[in-house]
Amino acid sequence: MKIVKFILSLLFGLMFINAGLNKFFNYMPMEKPTPEQMKVFSAFGEIAWLMPLVGAVEIIGGLLFIFPKTRALGAIVILPVMVGIVAHVFTLDKSSMGMAIAGVMFLINLWMIIDNKEKYKHLVS
């Protein structure tokens, strides 16, 4: 089970590192957005610092998620971004592939948070 957890964590972390780097270097092609998505993207574009911040959080969270010692922190750092991804995919995007990927990624994130719950007890007591 330890190897499965490491492989899933590695893939999860690498996906977020890739997504974060794409925010800075724009190397992955994007599908044609719907008019609703264009409104959201233009609103995000008005806030010049938002996408670099999300990209930095994705890179840092992805790096933290890969290593077992920092995985608990990485899971918490990535959680708000993951919630935003799930909310976007299930409300605006609605592609079955996107829903499947976002759902699996969200479950992996929740699994790591639950798996490391002992590390969080000091924060809420």
Side-chain angles (χ1 to χ4, degrees), residues 77-88:
V77 167
I78 288 288
L79 184 63
V81 175
M82 194 71 240
V83 169
I85 292 167
V86 168
H88 174 80

Side-chain angles (χ1 to χ4, degrees), residues 9-28 51-52 54-67 70 74 78 81 85 105:
S9 297
L10 178 65
L11 292 174
F12 184 95
L14 289 174
M15 285 184 74
F16 271 96
I17 292 168
N18 182 47
L21 289 173
N22 187 55
K23 303 262 186 317
F24 292 104
F25 301 116
N26 230 3
Y27 55 85
M28 290 190 305
M51 282 301 139
V54 172
V57 168
E58 287 176 343
I59 293 168
I60 292 166
L63 285 169
L64 291 170
F65 205 92
I66 290 173
F67 302 104
T70 59
I78 288 288
V81 175
I85 292 167
M105 297 286 284

Side-chain angles (χ1 to χ4, degrees), residues 68-72 116-123:
K69 194 171 189 102
T70 59
R71 192 168 293 146
N116 290 294
K117 67 183 174 202
E118 294 298 318
K119 294 180 181 178
Y120 306 127
K121 283 189 177 179
H122 300 293
L123 296 173

